[in-house]
Amino acid sequence: MDRDQAEEGYEDTGGSLTDLDPGMDRIRKFWSTYIHDIDVATHPVGTKAFFDQLSEYRFRKLHYLTPIVLENKLQGKRVLDVGCGIGTELVQFARNGADVAGVDLCSRSIELAKENFRVNGLSADLQVMNGEDLQFESEHFDFVYARMPLQYTQRPEKMVAEIHRVLRRGGKATLIVFNRFSWLNLVSKLSGENLLHEDAPVFNLYTPAEFRSLLHRFGELDIVTDKLPTRTQAYRGIMVSIYNTMFIPLIDMIPKRIGRKLGAHIIATVTR
């Protein structure tokens, strides 16, 4: 698959999804034209160098992923990634010895995820699937990971219920959404630039209290926000230059106990 196909010329037929309602089909079509962080890639789409480059960038940019993905002790455990995209995090779970499965609404994402696993010599159960209607047995997984699909799905409460259902008793999940009251929102308002994917068919921001309420069915619940921002390579232009050279040094001066509350992402660790 070349870059033009990856970015805008690829027609996602929906794969095996034949019963999506119009709202979910609009969501599928929107996400079928996008690969996260593709703008930083300098290698051909679908090559090992391409996947490695996007993985290195993601884990460098999102420091909070290290304990969740790279250091999580999940060897021999069944792990599900809801909204797995091209499988960036899922590959790391597999490298650490987990028995992994990934689902995504877009067949194109799953095709690329399969290629990601192939070029890395790893195996996974990768399926086109609606995260609001998971086709897995109840209490099947030891760990469920969902970075961002809850804020882009039509019925987030239904997706939460499905994650709860497929998670075994005593199993854990990490669920991540955007923080409504964050430095990222502040930058968006000051610059007049929309947040990434603010034009998606569904785009829900949460406060920690709202996210906690959404996850009420879980037994144990711990919610934190991630650290303050780092420099970005994903965009170009004068505003990005100002952001990298002036805003980042300024924001680094904020005490951590205050700044942490303004993190861009809310990270929930839950236990069934």
Side-chain angles (χ1 to χ4, degrees):
M1 180 184 296
D2 63 26
R3 185 176 293 268
D4 288 339
Q5 286 178 309
E7 290 184 298
E8 56 185 346
Y10 181 88
E11 181 180 358
D12 192 324
T13 61
S16 60
L17 295 175
T18 58
D19 57 351
L20 288 179
D21 64 39
M24 288 302 290
D25 198 46
R26 282 194 296 273
I27 293 170
R28 178 190 64 78
K29 288 177 179 177
F30 177 88
W31 289 104
S32 72
T33 62
Y34 180 79
I35 299 173
H36 198 62
D37 291 333
I38 193 171
D39 289 342
V40 308
T42 57
H43 300 283
V45 175
T47 63
K48 188 174 188 305
F50 165 81
F51 293 120
D52 287 347
Q53 188 175 26
L54 264 61
S55 179
E56 188 278 333
Y57 178 70
R58 178 167 300 177
F59 283 96
R60 176 162 46 86
K61 179 178 68 171
L62 303 178
H63 298 275
Y64 68 82
L65 290 181
T66 296
I68 298 169
V69 179
L70 300 181
E71 298 174 355
N72 211 340
K73 305 299 182 183
L74 293 168
Q75 186 170 6
K77 303 292 187 181
R78 289 179 175 173
V79 171
L80 171 65
D81 186 346
V82 180
C84 67
I86 66 172
T88 300
E89 289 99 311
L90 199 60
V91 160
Q92 299 299 331
F93 285 127
R95 281 178 175 159
N96 289 338
D99 178 9
V100 300
V103 302
D104 200 280
L105 200 59
C106 302
S107 59
R108 173 170 147 282
S109 295
I110 292 299
E111 289 172 11
L112 280 168
K114 288 180 178 179
E115 186 64 12
N116 194 359
F117 272 79
R118 188 191 71 79
V119 299
N120 280 288
L122 299 167
S123 61
D125 176 11
L126 296 164
Q127 300 186 51
V128 178
M129 194 180 296
N130 181 359
E132 295 183 3
D133 185 23
L134 295 173
Q135 302 300 300
F136 296 105
E137 295 179 358
S138 297
E139 301 190 34
H140 185 72
F141 294 98
D142 301 290
F143 181 77
V144 177
Y145 176 76
R147 190 180 70 84
M148 300 303 178
L150 282 167
Q151 69 186 31
Y152 297 118
T153 198
Q154 191 169 229
R155 293 172 290 267
E157 66 285 344
K158 194 170 188 302
M159 184 178 287
V160 169
E162 281 293 273
I163 290 171
H164 182 271
R165 180 184 65 80
V166 301
L167 193 61
R168 69 167 178 80
R169 295 185 185 278
K172 294 184 180 295
T174 294
L175 315 172
I176 302 168
V177 294
F178 273 143
N179 183 9
R180 182 180 298 159
F181 300 122
S182 70
W183 65 266
L184 189 61
N185 252 339
L186 175 62
V187 170
S188 173
K189 303 305 180 188
L190 291 176
S191 67
E193 296 288 335
N194 287 340
L195 293 171
L196 192 63
H197 306 319
E198 198 168 337
D199 58 338
V202 176
F203 184 75
N204 295 316
L205 302 180
Y206 293 87
T207 66
E210 289 168 343
F211 200 32
R212 184 179 295 275
S213 178
L214 179 64
L215 305 176
H216 66 88
R217 67 183 65 242
F218 289 93
E220 297 180 20
L221 174 60
D222 179 53
I223 284 184
V224 299
T225 54
D226 70 323
K227 69 184 292 294
L228 287 171
T230 57
R231 288 174 174 80
T232 182
Q233 300 175 13
Y235 308 98
R236 301 291 184 269
I238 184 64
M239 291 305 298
V240 174
S241 179
I242 293 172
Y243 170 87
N244 281 336
T245 61
M246 297 178 64
F247 179 74
I248 293 298
L250 181 64
I251 208 81
D252 283 343
M253 297 172 63
I254 297 176
K256 289 184 179 180
R257 67 181 183 279
I258 298 173
R260 194 167 180 83
K261 296 179 181 179
L262 302 175
H265 303 96
I266 305 174
I267 305 150
T269 302
V270 298
T271 304
R272 188 180 190 280

